[in-house]
Amino acid sequence: MTARIIDGKAIAQEVRAEWKVRADALKVRGITPGLAVIIVGEDPASKVYVANKVKACAELGLHSEHIVLPADTAESVLLAKITELNHDPKIHGILVQLPVPRHIDSSKVLNAISPDKDVDGFHPENVGALVTGNMRFAPCTPFGAMKLLEKSGVTIEGKHAVIVGRSNIVGKPMALMLLQANATVTVCTSKTVDLAKFTRDADILVVATGRPKMITGDMIKPGAAVIDVGINRLPDGKLCGDVDFDSAKGVAGWITPVPGGVGPMTITMLVANTVQAAERGAK
Ligand code: NDP
């Protein structure tokens, strides 16, 4: 079997076009969805992510504000900026690029963002909404992974979904979203004994560990849908996922490449969440 490659770039374009229609409908009513992205410090990777987020907003005709604060910004100054944005009617979504410098408590920062503008979905109120099945803002990366499954025609209901990784930004929300979509869900971690026993039983396998190529073809059930969230830089400068694409593609039914799989979806879903926030505010 040769897996169908899930083209994240193409699906991201399709999803962006759908959300552009909704953004345009708001504009007709005089509302331009607005996103504020705050970055504290000069982390090069973060700067690239933020630039891409601002670019995606521009592509859809959204208003965006890119706020750059110096690395030594006091926590109180950052919190005051968030409060100001919480009250700014031009801004419907607020995102603080993580990680923040060590002297700033990231949980205080996430809690300070109004739950109505929390387009990353990390505020405890929105996490609680996801847990109780009343999702308001889905964290962008797992939301994007769910869209890839949906757009690829992968059946979720009744299937066994195995997630490798339990981070708050990927693994845990992914598990909750798959559970909400009526999958039977198993979450594996670094402490799981005999990982392959679980991954080989997965109809849907989502891998988010940050361990390059750790899932090999022999760990995958024939025909499974494999979503590789990992982005790792190899010593030769190339990017790879947490799945060994070459051995996995001969076994899986569907597979996301890295790059070009989940990556393009994350920013797309951020834009979607911003438009959704503006729609809610317009009601
Ligand atoms: P974290 O480091 O926060 O979490 C990694 C998780 O993987 C942990 O739960 C850890 O288990 C688990 N893990 C690590 N090693 C193993 C192992 N050998 N077997 C089983 N489980 C293991 O990472 P993130 O969730 O933030 O990110 C994961 C990957 O996804 C990274 O490569 C990151 O770059 C990428 N990523 C991609 C995004 C995108 O837009 N495409 C967005 C966000 C992340 P334990 O809890 O026991 O330590």
Side-chain angles (χ1 to χ4, degrees):
M1 169 179 289
T2 302
R4 276 158 280 190
I5 309 296
I6 300 179
D7 184 343
K9 274 193 198 160
I11 295 175
Q13 284 307 325
E14 187 185 330
V15 174
R16 281 183 200 199
E18 290 166 11
W19 283 93
K20 185 166 186 323
V21 172
R22 292 171 68 160
D24 289 347
L26 282 170
K27 281 187 173 177
V28 170
R29 298 166 61 192
I31 301 154
T32 301
L35 173 71
V37 184
I38 307 179
I39 181 167
V40 187
E42 291 284 323
D43 179 62
S46 294
K47 276 168 83 175
V48 173
Y49 294 142
V50 168
N52 287 338
K53 288 168 184 173
V54 170
K55 192 168 145 232
C57 284
E59 271 171 30
L60 266 77
L62 269 53
H63 167 71
S64 66
E65 291 182 22
H66 180 187
I67 298 152
V68 183
L69 299 175
D72 61 354
T73 299
E75 185 181 270
S76 59
V77 172
L78 175 59
L79 294 176
K81 187 70 207 170
I82 292 170
T83 304
E84 186 191 316
L85 293 166
N86 282 341
H87 292 101
D88 184 340
K90 293 191 303 304
I91 296 299
H92 304 93
I94 304 169
L95 177 154
V96 178
Q97 185 66 43
L98 298 175
V100 284
R102 292 166 73 104
H103 67 279
I104 295 175
D105 179 347
S106 60
S107 64
K108 263 195 203 168
V109 171
L110 298 179
N111 289 6
I113 297 171
S114 161
D116 295 330
K117 298 191 177 186
D118 170 39
V119 283
D120 252 342
F122 295 156
H123 189 285
E125 209 176 285
N126 289 325
V127 174
L130 178 60
V131 172
T132 52
N134 301 301
M135 192 167 79
R136 296 174 73 236
F137 287 114
C140 300
T141 298
F143 190 13
M146 290 297 287
K147 269 277 169 236
L148 289 178
L149 290 169
E150 183 194 314
K151 293 277 182 188
S152 305
V154 175
T155 304
I156 298 176
E157 184 163 315
K159 300 295 179 184
H160 185 199
V162 174
I163 298 133
V164 189
R166 59 171 156 182
S167 71
N168 289 337
I169 63 168
V170 187
K172 280 183 204 162
M174 188 79 218
L176 290 163
M177 281 182 224
L178 285 162
L179 194 58
Q180 187 66 23
N182 295 321
T184 301
V185 177
T186 301
V187 181
C188 300
T189 73
S190 66
K191 305 290 184 281
T192 297
V193 176
D194 196 358
L195 178 65
K197 182 179 87 183
F198 296 95
T199 59
R200 275 190 207 118
D201 192 53
D203 301 304
I204 298 169
L205 179 63
V206 182
V207 190
T209 61
R211 304 275 178 269
K213 303 186 185 186
M214 68 166 280
I215 301 292
T216 45
D218 59 316
M219 298 169 78
I220 294 170
K221 180 176 178 174
V226 178
I227 303 290
D228 187 356
V229 181
I231 304 177
N232 309 289
R233 180 81 57 191
L234 293 170
D236 65 4
K238 288 192 183 145
L239 291 179
C240 78
D242 296 346
V243 175
D244 177 37
F245 186 82
D246 290 337
S247 63
K249 74 173 192 293
V251 185
W254 294 262
I255 189 166
T256 58
V258 177
V262 176
M265 293 302 289
T266 298
I267 292 179
T268 300
M269 302 330 289
L270 172 68
V271 174
N273 279 348
T274 304
V275 176
Q276 214 172 359
E279 286 176 342
R280 287 196 197 120
K283 276 189 186 142

